Amino acid sequence: MMSLGAKITGAIIRLYTYKYRKNHLSLSRSIKFKNKKYAPPKGFDYAVKEFCGTKVEILSPHVPDALCAVVHFHGGGSTQTMNGMYRRVAEKLSKLSNATVYSIDYRTGEELVYPSVHDECYAAYANLIATDLKGKKIIAVGDSFGANVLLSICLRLRDRRLPLPDAIVSVSCCIDLAATGSSYQKNCYRDPLYSLPKNQSFEEHEKDIRRIIRYIGDTSPYDKYLSPAYAEYTDFPPMLIQCGEAETSESDNDMLYEKARNNGVNVKMTKYYGMWHDFQYLTPFLKESKQAWREIGAFLNSILQQC
């Protein structure tokens, strides 16, 4: 059951997003987060470095675990930059793990098409693990489009016989860019962020709910490096998958879980009933979000205890 707070918050989100949903507009392209100058919380150090020309924000406790690190891939499609919400996520990840968090601040823009973001993030990550993170235990965390990029990078690393992260956390992944899953119909009226208004039929607006994003360009949406839902996950590290049960893209997470499990990966998936896309990030004050963060913290520490 959903908490009362989640029900109320979901209703408020539904009202706020109505003008975007009725016109089938992309939230990541339409809503811009304010990007204020960042000051880290007390007890943390903050720096920005470049790896292969890509900015990486580095948040570290004053006395971090020197043997471990978290690499963070933020979501927001190819249009949202690193912002206050994602910096708060980096803070949580660092506090939960006592590790330094490296957030890859890839270039964004409405004109970008595949493989621009994926190539940039791959180059930055490869440079990171060859320099600052060489020899460290690494947990990679990604949400939404960031989970797509993270998984695509891991597929490339594996296929090139390069080291993968020691563990992966995937939050509300968007990895089927062909949008074939059943949840796009199942949750077409339930998702407060991306659902259809009740006066619009699924049959008439299926193409709007199964949105094909511009970033795909001329690439097939079934390409495994663009849509990791269509990849095989042999030789992948332990994985935690979280999503909201009411997401239109819930089935993307199902596809990832089934592929990982069928390929022998040590994988766990947790769905949170009635919850929406990235609820842990957007509404961290809710009971369900706190529970999700506790699960992420327990997973991080189960891996980092092996350092």
Side-chain angles (χ1 to χ4, degrees), residues 28-39:
S28 63
R29 291 175 181 268
S30 302
I31 300 174
K32 303 301 179 186
F33 287 83
K34 292 181 180 179
N35 203 356
K36 299 178 181 178
K37 185 176 180 180
Y38 179 62

Side-chain angles (χ1 to χ4, degrees), residues 151-205:
L151 292 166
S152 177
I153 287 171
C154 290
L155 290 167
R156 286 206 222 181
L157 291 169
R158 183 204 59 195
D159 293 347
R160 296 174 185 182
R161 300 189 178 184
L162 295 171
L164 274 69
D166 294 276
I168 293 169
V169 177
S170 171
V171 174
S172 293
C173 68
C174 289
I175 59 168
D176 175 17
L177 298 194
T180 62
S182 61
S183 62
Y184 291 89
Q185 181 171 10
K186 172 198 162 199
N187 292 331
C188 71
Y189 297 116
R190 297 182 67 213
D191 187 331
L193 288 166
Y194 300 109
S195 63
L196 295 172
K198 291 291 179 67
N199 63 349
Q200 296 183 3
S201 71
F202 175 79
E203 290 72 21
E204 185 179 356
H205 292 280

Side-chain angles (χ1 to χ4, degrees), residues 88-134:
R88 288 190 291 275
V89 168
E91 291 170 9
K92 280 187 172 290
L93 292 170
S94 189
K95 289 174 182 177
L96 288 169
S97 64
N98 194 45
T100 300
V101 176
Y102 294 77
S103 299
I104 297 180
D105 186 14
Y106 52 85
R107 295 173 185 84
T108 58
E110 296 191 6
E111 75 287 354
L112 296 176
V113 295
Y114 178 82
S116 58
V117 174
H118 289 70
D119 281 353
E120 179 183 355
C121 290
Y122 177 84
Y125 182 82
N127 190 213
L128 257 174
I129 62 174
T131 55
D132 289 33
L133 302 187
K134 187 174 183 179

